[in-house]
Amino acid sequence: METRWEDLAPGVARRRLSGWDETVGAVAGADGVLLVDAGPSLPAGEEIGDELRDRFGVPVTHVVLTHPHFDHVLGAGAFPAAERFGRLPAGGPAGAAADGVRQGLDAGLAEAAAGALAALPSPREIAPGERLTLDLGGGRTVVLAALGPAHSPNDLVVLVPGPVPVVFCGDLVEESGEPQAGPDAEPARWPAALDRLLALGGPEARYVPGHGAVVDAAFVRAQRAALAERFGDVPGAA
């Protein structure tokens, strides 16, 4: 598993994991680190946590799960003391583990990750359309915004305000391949969710996809147009 973190802004970084090329993000404040997504297994989560403590000198205190797919949630059990936000799949940790095994995750790793996750309280869900500001200390704040159904039943994104804002998009945006619409997606509502994403981040933001390289607003607009042509475009408020 690669260990190189890419700096996006002071105290803001991301890392692309091997395997499914999923991205995890980190935002550091004086009091702790907010982790965006947690990887596909306990060893992945543990390694991420160790690297972030070494990098920033403070532990992971918050974990945000952008959407309930195995490659983004199963590592969250590695952070039992962290406050967690987002949602788990309809089938719970066992459902995420089963999906991971179907997609090539080792069965033993999947079972261990599901067990650790099941032993923790459920994450705090953010209602569609809701925004929540978290204070990480030292003047660092982040905004969690639930953009409603699109790639998943309620995609959650993380805005890091600054001179150049950074937005962690989860799989609302994908750069390394075509956006994937699985059985829990509402693809006709995806374009409207991207409109809300662009309004949140603005034209100058750096947008961090769930898979692939960091992109700009023009890329997001182009992907929005492609999704609307592919799936239709049903307006709707989050």
PDB file of all heavy atoms in Angstrom, residues 106-142:
ATOM      1  N   ASP A 106     -10.196  -9.830   0.650  1.00  0.00           N
ATOM      2  CA  ASP A 106      -9.964 -11.077   1.376  1.00  0.00           C
ATOM      3  C   ASP A 106     -11.061 -11.295   2.412  1.00  0.00           C
ATOM      4  O   ASP A 106     -11.406 -10.372   3.171  1.00  0.00           O
ATOM      5  CB  ASP A 106      -8.596 -11.012   2.063  1.00  0.00           C
ATOM      6  CG  ASP A 106      -8.332 -12.212   2.950  1.00  0.00           C
ATOM      7  OD1 ASP A 106      -7.929 -13.251   2.421  1.00  0.00           O
ATOM      8  OD2 ASP A 106      -8.552 -12.082   4.168  1.00  0.00           O
ATOM      9  N   ALA A 107     -11.607 -12.504   2.471  1.00  0.00           N
ATOM     10  CA  ALA A 107     -12.746 -12.782   3.358  1.00  0.00           C
ATOM     11  C   ALA A 107     -12.385 -12.581   4.820  1.00  0.00           C
ATOM     12  O   ALA A 107     -13.211 -12.100   5.609  1.00  0.00           O
ATOM     13  CB  ALA A 107     -13.255 -14.198   3.118  1.00  0.00           C
ATOM     14  N   GLY A 108     -11.165 -12.949   5.212  1.00  0.00           N
ATOM     15  CA  GLY A 108     -10.759 -12.758   6.596  1.00  0.00           C
ATOM     16  C   GLY A 108     -10.658 -11.291   6.970  1.00  0.00           C
ATOM     17  O   GLY A 108     -11.092 -10.884   8.057  1.00  0.00           O
ATOM     18  N   LEU A 109     -10.093 -10.482   6.070  1.00  0.00           N
ATOM     19  CA  LEU A 109     -10.023  -9.042   6.324  1.00  0.00           C
ATOM     20  C   LEU A 109     -11.418  -8.437   6.397  1.00  0.00           C
ATOM     21  O   LEU A 109     -11.692  -7.576   7.245  1.00  0.00           O
ATOM     22  CB  LEU A 109      -9.222  -8.354   5.219  1.00  0.00           C
ATOM     23  CG  LEU A 109      -7.717  -8.605   5.183  1.00  0.00           C
ATOM     24  CD1 LEU A 109      -7.095  -7.917   3.980  1.00  0.00           C
ATOM     25  CD2 LEU A 109      -7.050  -8.129   6.471  1.00  0.00           C
ATOM     26  N   ALA A 110     -12.292  -8.888   5.513  1.00  0.00           N
ATOM     27  CA  ALA A 110     -13.659  -8.360   5.510  1.00  0.00           C
ATOM     28  C   ALA A 110     -14.375  -8.697   6.810  1.00  0.00           C
ATOM     29  O   ALA A 110     -15.054  -7.847   7.408  1.00  0.00           O
ATOM     30  CB  ALA A 110     -14.424  -8.919   4.311  1.00  0.00           C
ATOM     31  N   GLU A 111     -14.240  -9.927   7.271  1.00  0.00           N
ATOM     32  CA  GLU A 111     -14.914 -10.346   8.503  1.00  0.00           C
ATOM     33  C   GLU A 111     -14.391  -9.573   9.710  1.00  0.00           C
ATOM     34  O   GLU A 111     -15.169  -9.129  10.564  1.00  0.00           O
ATOM     35  CB  GLU A 111     -14.730 -11.845   8.714  1.00  0.00           C
ATOM     36  CG  GLU A 111     -15.422 -12.386   9.951  1.00  0.00           C
ATOM     37  CD  GLU A 111     -15.226 -13.875  10.137  1.00  0.00           C
ATOM     38  OE1 GLU A 111     -14.526 -14.500   9.317  1.00  0.00           O
ATOM     39  OE2 GLU A 111     -15.780 -14.418  11.119  1.00  0.00           O
ATOM     40  N   ALA A 112     -13.068  -9.391   9.789  1.00  0.00           N
ATOM     41  CA  ALA A 112     -12.487  -8.662  10.915  1.00  0.00           C
ATOM     42  C   ALA A 112     -12.944  -7.207  10.915  1.00  0.00           C
ATOM     43  O   ALA A 112     -13.280  -6.640  11.961  1.00  0.00           O
ATOM     44  CB  ALA A 112     -10.962  -8.737  10.850  1.00  0.00           C
ATOM     45  N   ALA A 113     -12.982  -6.579   9.736  1.00  0.00           N
ATOM     46  CA  ALA A 113     -13.399  -5.185   9.647  1.00  0.00           C
ATOM     47  C   ALA A 113     -14.859  -5.033  10.027  1.00  0.00           C
ATOM     48  O   ALA A 113     -15.236  -4.098  10.754  1.00  0.00           O
ATOM     49  CB  ALA A 113     -13.159  -4.664   8.234  1.00  0.00           C
ATOM     50  N   ALA A 114     -15.705  -5.947   9.572  1.00  0.00           N
ATOM     51  CA  ALA A 114     -17.130  -5.877   9.908  1.00  0.00           C
ATOM     52  C   ALA A 114     -17.342  -6.057  11.401  1.00  0.00           C
ATOM     53  O   ALA A 114     -18.180  -5.370  12.006  1.00  0.00           O
ATOM     54  CB  ALA A 114     -17.895  -6.933   9.127  1.00  0.00           C
ATOM     55  N   GLY A 115     -16.598  -6.960  12.012  1.00  0.00           N
ATOM     56  CA  GLY A 115     -16.736  -7.167  13.454  1.00  0.00           C
ATOM     57  C   GLY A 115     -16.357  -5.938  14.250  1.00  0.00           C
ATOM     58  O   GLY A 115     -17.046  -5.559  15.206  1.00  0.00           O
ATOM     59  N   ALA A 116     -15.256  -5.295  13.863  1.00  0.00           N
ATOM     60  CA  ALA A 116     -14.821  -4.089  14.578  1.00  0.00           C
ATOM     61  C   ALA A 116     -15.830  -2.964  14.403  1.00  0.00           C
ATOM     62  O   ALA A 116     -16.128  -2.230  15.351  1.00  0.00           O
ATOM     63  CB  ALA A 116     -13.445  -3.660  14.068  1.00  0.00           C
ATOM     64  N   LEU A 117     -16.382  -2.839  13.221  1.00  0.00           N
ATOM     65  CA  LEU A 117     -17.341  -1.770  12.954  1.00  0.00           C
ATOM     66  C   LEU A 117     -18.657  -2.023  13.677  1.00  0.00           C
ATOM     67  O   LEU A 117     -19.281  -1.103  14.217  1.00  0.00           O
ATOM     68  CB  LEU A 117     -17.562  -1.661  11.447  1.00  0.00           C
ATOM     69  CG  LEU A 117     -18.039  -0.342  10.868  1.00  0.00           C
ATOM     70  CD1 LEU A 117     -17.177   0.822  11.341  1.00  0.00           C
ATOM     71  CD2 LEU A 117     -18.041  -0.425   9.344  1.00  0.00           C
ATOM     72  N   ALA A 118     -19.068  -3.269  13.728  1.00  0.00           N
ATOM     73  CA  ALA A 118     -20.330  -3.607  14.391  1.00  0.00           C
ATOM     74  C   ALA A 118     -20.269  -3.365  15.893  1.00  0.00           C
ATOM     75  O   ALA A 118     -21.312  -3.167  16.530  1.00  0.00           O
ATOM     76  CB  ALA A 118     -20.688  -5.064  14.108  1.00  0.00           C
ATOM     77  N   ALA A 119     -19.075  -3.388  16.473  1.00  0.00           N
ATOM     78  CA  ALA A 119     -18.931  -3.173  17.910  1.00  0.00           C
ATOM     79  C   ALA A 119     -19.029  -1.708  18.297  1.00  0.00           C
ATOM     80  O   ALA A 119     -19.100  -1.389  19.495  1.00  0.00           O
ATOM     81  CB  ALA A 119     -17.583  -3.738  18.378  1.00  0.00           C
ATOM     82  N   LEU A 120     -19.072  -0.800  17.328  1.00  0.00           N
ATOM     83  CA  LEU A 120     -19.106   0.637  17.596  1.00  0.00           C
ATOM     84  C   LEU A 120     -20.517   1.186  17.405  1.00  0.00           C
ATOM     85  O   LEU A 120     -21.316   0.605  16.665  1.00  0.00           O
ATOM     86  CB  LEU A 120     -18.150   1.363  16.649  1.00  0.00           C
ATOM     87  CG  LEU A 120     -16.673   0.968  16.727  1.00  0.00           C
ATOM     88  CD1 LEU A 120     -15.878   1.728  15.676  1.00  0.00           C
ATOM     89  CD2 LEU A 120     -16.118   1.214  18.112  1.00  0.00           C
ATOM     90  N   PRO A 121     -20.832   2.306  18.046  1.00  0.00           N
ATOM     91  CA  PRO A 121     -22.128   2.952  17.772  1.00  0.00           C
ATOM     92  C   PRO A 121     -22.222   3.345  16.299  1.00  0.00           C
ATOM     93  O   PRO A 121     -21.215   3.574  15.632  1.00  0.00           O
ATOM     94  CB  PRO A 121     -22.101   4.189  18.673  1.00  0.00           C
ATOM     95  CG  PRO A 121     -21.061   3.908  19.703  1.00  0.00           C
ATOM     96  CD  PRO A 121     -20.045   3.029  19.056  1.00  0.00           C
ATOM     97  N   SER A 122     -23.431   3.425  15.797  1.00  0.00           N
ATOM     98  CA  SER A 122     -23.635   3.848  14.415  1.00  0.00           C
ATOM     99  C   SER A 122     -23.134   5.280  14.229  1.00  0.00           C
ATOM    100  O   SER A 122     -23.220   6.099  15.147  1.00  0.00           O
ATOM    101  CB  SER A 122     -25.112   3.775  14.042  1.00  0.00           C
ATOM    102  OG  SER A 122     -25.559   2.434  14.064  1.00  0.00           O
ATOM    103  N   PRO A 123     -22.629   5.596  13.056  1.00  0.00           N
ATOM    104  CA  PRO A 123     -22.205   6.984  12.806  1.00  0.00           C
ATOM    105  C   PRO A 123     -23.389   7.947  12.910  1.00  0.00           C
ATOM    106  O   PRO A 123     -24.544   7.555  12.718  1.00  0.00           O
ATOM    107  CB  PRO A 123     -21.664   6.939  11.372  1.00  0.00           C
ATOM    108  CG  PRO A 123     -21.442   5.503  11.062  1.00  0.00           C
ATOM    109  CD  PRO A 123     -22.406   4.734  11.886  1.00  0.00           C
ATOM    110  N   ARG A 124     -23.069   9.199  13.183  1.00  0.00           N
ATOM    111  CA  ARG A 124     -24.102  10.232  13.177  1.00  0.00           C
ATOM    112  C   ARG A 124     -24.467  10.567  11.735  1.00  0.00           C
ATOM    113  O   ARG A 124     -23.602  10.936  10.942  1.00  0.00           O
ATOM    114  CB  ARG A 124     -23.604  11.478  13.891  1.00  0.00           C
ATOM    115  CG  ARG A 124     -24.576  12.655  13.825  1.00  0.00           C
ATOM    116  CD  ARG A 124     -24.052  13.858  14.577  1.00  0.00           C
ATOM    117  NE  ARG A 124     -24.873  15.034  14.326  1.00  0.00           N
ATOM    118  CZ  ARG A 124     -24.625  16.248  14.835  1.00  0.00           C
ATOM    119  NH1 ARG A 124     -23.579  16.422  15.638  1.00  0.00           N
ATOM    120  NH2 ARG A 124     -25.411  17.260  14.550  1.00  0.00           N
ATOM    121  N   GLU A 125     -25.735  10.432  11.396  1.00  0.00           N
ATOM    122  CA  GLU A 125     -26.177  10.746  10.044  1.00  0.00           C
ATOM    123  C   GLU A 125     -26.480  12.239   9.914  1.00  0.00           C
ATOM    124  O   GLU A 125     -27.030  12.853  10.823  1.00  0.00           O
ATOM    125  CB  GLU A 125     -27.406   9.923   9.671  1.00  0.00           C
ATOM    126  CG  GLU A 125     -27.095   8.444   9.486  1.00  0.00           C
ATOM    127  CD  GLU A 125     -28.189   7.713   8.740  1.00  0.00           C
ATOM    128  OE1 GLU A 125     -28.865   8.334   7.896  1.00  0.00           O
ATOM    129  OE2 GLU A 125     -28.383   6.515   9.015  1.00  0.00           O
ATOM    130  N   ILE A 126     -26.111  12.780   8.774  1.00  0.00           N
ATOM    131  CA  ILE A 126     -26.422  14.165   8.438  1.00  0.00           C
ATOM    132  C   ILE A 126     -27.579  14.128   7.440  1.00  0.00           C
ATOM    133  O   ILE A 126     -27.485  13.463   6.401  1.00  0.00           O
ATOM    134  CB  ILE A 126     -25.207  14.882   7.820  1.00  0.00           C
ATOM    135  CG1 ILE A 126     -23.947  14.683   8.684  1.00  0.00           C
ATOM    136  CG2 ILE A 126     -25.498  16.353   7.616  1.00  0.00           C
ATOM    137  CD1 ILE A 126     -24.043  15.245  10.066  1.00  0.00           C
ATOM    138  N   ALA A 127     -28.664  14.787   7.752  1.00  0.00           N
ATOM    139  CA  ALA A 127     -29.858  14.727   6.913  1.00  0.00           C
ATOM    140  C   ALA A 127     -29.611  15.424   5.580  1.00  0.00           C
ATOM    141  O   ALA A 127     -28.838  16.390   5.504  1.00  0.00           O
ATOM    142  CB  ALA A 127     -31.036  15.377   7.630  1.00  0.00           C
ATOM    143  N   PRO A 128     -30.255  14.958   4.503  1.00  0.00           N
ATOM    144  CA  PRO A 128     -30.117  15.646   3.219  1.00  0.00           C
ATOM    145  C   PRO A 128     -30.418  17.138   3.334  1.00  0.00           C
ATOM    146  O   PRO A 128     -31.413  17.538   3.930  1.00  0.00           O
ATOM    147  CB  PRO A 128     -31.148  14.936   2.336  1.00  0.00           C
ATOM    148  CG  PRO A 128     -31.253  13.559   2.918  1.00  0.00           C
ATOM    149  CD  PRO A 128     -31.112  13.763   4.403  1.00  0.00           C
ATOM    150  N   GLY A 129     -29.540  17.938   2.799  1.00  0.00           N
ATOM    151  CA  GLY A 129     -29.682  19.388   2.869  1.00  0.00           C
ATOM    152  C   GLY A 129     -29.064  20.015   4.101  1.00  0.00           C
ATOM    153  O   GLY A 129     -28.914  21.242   4.164  1.00  0.00           O
ATOM    154  N   GLU A 130     -28.672  19.198   5.089  1.00  0.00           N
ATOM    155  CA  GLU A 130     -28.101  19.727   6.334  1.00  0.00           C
ATOM    156  C   GLU A 130     -26.615  20.011   6.151  1.00  0.00           C
ATOM    157  O   GLU A 130     -25.904  19.303   5.426  1.00  0.00           O
ATOM    158  CB  GLU A 130     -28.301  18.724   7.468  1.00  0.00           C
ATOM    159  CG  GLU A 130     -27.765  19.187   8.817  1.00  0.00           C
ATOM    160  CD  GLU A 130     -27.917  18.141   9.914  1.00  0.00           C
ATOM    161  OE1 GLU A 130     -28.484  17.064   9.658  1.00  0.00           O
ATOM    162  OE2 GLU A 130     -27.436  18.418  11.034  1.00  0.00           O
ATOM    163  N   ARG A 131     -26.144  21.047   6.841  1.00  0.00           N
ATOM    164  CA  ARG A 131     -24.721  21.342   6.919  1.00  0.00           C
ATOM    165  C   ARG A 131     -24.320  21.401   8.383  1.00  0.00           C
ATOM    166  O   ARG A 131     -25.061  21.920   9.216  1.00  0.00           O
ATOM    167  CB  ARG A 131     -24.387  22.664   6.228  1.00  0.00           C
ATOM    168  CG  ARG A 131     -24.614  22.650   4.740  1.00  0.00           C
ATOM    169  CD  ARG A 131     -24.134  23.928   4.082  1.00  0.00           C
ATOM    170  NE  ARG A 131     -24.440  23.938   2.656  1.00  0.00           N
ATOM    171  CZ  ARG A 131     -24.100  24.905   1.827  1.00  0.00           C
ATOM    172  NH1 ARG A 131     -23.432  25.972   2.285  1.00  0.00           N
ATOM    173  NH2 ARG A 131     -24.418  24.844   0.547  1.00  0.00           N
ATOM    174  N   LEU A 132     -23.147  20.892   8.671  1.00  0.00           N
ATOM    175  CA  LEU A 132     -22.631  20.858  10.034  1.00  0.00           C
ATOM    176  C   LEU A 132     -21.195  21.358  10.012  1.00  0.00           C
ATOM    177  O   LEU A 132     -20.362  20.837   9.261  1.00  0.00           O
ATOM    178  CB  LEU A 132     -22.694  19.432  10.584  1.00  0.00           C
ATOM    179  CG  LEU A 132     -22.124  19.212  11.983  1.00  0.00           C
ATOM    180  CD1 LEU A 132     -22.953  19.936  13.036  1.00  0.00           C
ATOM    181  CD2 LEU A 132     -22.060  17.714  12.294  1.00  0.00           C
ATOM    182  N   THR A 133     -20.899  22.368  10.844  1.00  0.00           N
ATOM    183  CA  THR A 133     -19.539  22.889  10.947  1.00  0.00           C
ATOM    184  C   THR A 133     -18.856  22.289  12.161  1.00  0.00           C
ATOM    185  O   THR A 133     -19.398  22.308  13.265  1.00  0.00           O
ATOM    186  CB  THR A 133     -19.553  24.422  11.055  1.00  0.00           C
ATOM    187  OG1 THR A 133     -20.167  24.965   9.878  1.00  0.00           O
ATOM    188  CG2 THR A 133     -18.142  24.974  11.172  1.00  0.00           C
ATOM    189  N   LEU A 134     -17.662  21.743  11.949  1.00  0.00           N
ATOM    190  CA  LEU A 134     -16.863  21.165  13.027  1.00  0.00           C
ATOM    191  C   LEU A 134     -15.623  22.017  13.256  1.00  0.00           C
ATOM    192  O   LEU A 134     -14.987  22.481  12.306  1.00  0.00           O
ATOM    193  CB  LEU A 134     -16.433  19.736  12.676  1.00  0.00           C
ATOM    194  CG  LEU A 134     -17.536  18.720  12.411  1.00  0.00           C
ATOM    195  CD1 LEU A 134     -16.923  17.377  12.025  1.00  0.00           C
ATOM    196  CD2 LEU A 134     -18.429  18.558  13.631  1.00  0.00           C
ATOM    197  N   ASP A 135     -15.272  22.196  14.527  1.00  0.00           N
ATOM    198  CA  ASP A 135     -14.087  22.955  14.923  1.00  0.00           C
ATOM    199  C   ASP A 135     -13.008  21.960  15.320  1.00  0.00           C
ATOM    200  O   ASP A 135     -13.164  21.211  16.294  1.00  0.00           O
ATOM    201  CB  ASP A 135     -14.444  23.872  16.095  1.00  0.00           C
ATOM    202  CG  ASP A 135     -13.304  24.809  16.479  1.00  0.00           C
ATOM    203  OD1 ASP A 135     -12.167  24.596  16.017  1.00  0.00           O
ATOM    204  OD2 ASP A 135     -13.558  25.742  17.261  1.00  0.00           O
ATOM    205  N   LEU A 136     -11.907  21.942  14.582  1.00  0.00           N
ATOM    206  CA  LEU A 136     -10.794  21.031  14.859  1.00  0.00           C
ATOM    207  C   LEU A 136      -9.701  21.681  15.691  1.00  0.00           C
ATOM    208  O   LEU A 136      -8.684  21.046  15.970  1.00  0.00           O
ATOM    209  CB  LEU A 136     -10.203  20.504  13.548  1.00  0.00           C
ATOM    210  CG  LEU A 136     -11.180  19.772  12.617  1.00  0.00           C
ATOM    211  CD1 LEU A 136     -10.450  19.301  11.363  1.00  0.00           C
ATOM    212  CD2 LEU A 136     -11.838  18.597  13.330  1.00  0.00           C
ATOM    213  N   GLY A 137      -9.915  22.935  16.103  1.00  0.00           N
ATOM    214  CA  GLY A 137      -8.939  23.625  16.943  1.00  0.00           C
ATOM    215  C   GLY A 137      -7.945  24.435  16.131  1.00  0.00           C
ATOM    216  O   GLY A 137      -7.670  24.150  14.964  1.00  0.00           O
ATOM    217  N   GLY A 138      -7.443  25.501  16.758  1.00  0.00           N
ATOM    218  CA  GLY A 138      -6.436  26.331  16.115  1.00  0.00           C
ATOM    219  C   GLY A 138      -6.970  27.125  14.942  1.00  0.00           C
ATOM    220  O   GLY A 138      -6.203  27.495  14.029  1.00  0.00           O
ATOM    221  N   GLY A 139      -8.265  27.399  14.938  1.00  0.00           N
ATOM    222  CA  GLY A 139      -8.854  28.152  13.839  1.00  0.00           C
ATOM    223  C   GLY A 139      -9.260  27.323  12.640  1.00  0.00           C
ATOM    224  O   GLY A 139      -9.767  27.872  11.656  1.00  0.00           O
ATOM    225  N   ARG A 140      -9.092  26.013  12.720  1.00  0.00           N
ATOM    226  CA  ARG A 140      -9.441  25.148  11.597  1.00  0.00           C
ATOM    227  C   ARG A 140     -10.876  24.657  11.742  1.00  0.00           C
ATOM    228  O   ARG A 140     -11.224  24.021  12.748  1.00  0.00           O
ATOM    229  CB  ARG A 140      -8.508  23.938  11.546  1.00  0.00           C
ATOM    230  CG  ARG A 140      -8.937  22.839  10.585  1.00  0.00           C
ATOM    231  CD  ARG A 140      -8.697  23.229   9.135  1.00  0.00           C
ATOM    232  NE  ARG A 140      -7.292  23.160   8.804  1.00  0.00           N
ATOM    233  CZ  ARG A 140      -6.765  23.585   7.664  1.00  0.00           C
ATOM    234  NH1 ARG A 140      -7.548  24.151   6.767  1.00  0.00           N
ATOM    235  NH2 ARG A 140      -5.473  23.483   7.424  1.00  0.00           N
ATOM    236  N   THR A 141     -11.699  24.962  10.773  1.00  0.00           N
ATOM    237  CA  THR A 141     -13.059  24.437  10.720  1.00  0.00           C
ATOM    238  C   THR A 141     -13.267  23.712   9.406  1.00  0.00           C
ATOM    239  O   THR A 141     -12.586  23.979   8.403  1.00  0.00           O
ATOM    240  CB  THR A 141     -14.121  25.540  10.865  1.00  0.00           C
ATOM    241  OG1 THR A 141     -13.993  26.466   9.779  1.00  0.00           O
ATOM    242  CG2 THR A 141     -13.992  26.265  12.197  1.00  0.00           C
ATOM    243  N   VAL A 142     -14.219  22.781   9.413  1.00  0.00           N
ATOM    244  CA  VAL A 142     -14.643  22.104   8.192  1.00  0.00           C
ATOM    245  C   VAL A 142     -16.166  22.082   8.188  1.00  0.00           C
ATOM    246  O   VAL A 142     -16.816  22.157   9.240  1.00  0.00           O
ATOM    247  CB  VAL A 142     -14.088  20.665   8.092  1.00  0.00           C
ATOM    248  CG1 VAL A 142     -12.572  20.669   8.026  1.00  0.00           C
ATOM    249  CG2 VAL A 142     -14.554  19.817   9.261  1.00  0.00           C
TER     250      VAL A 142
END
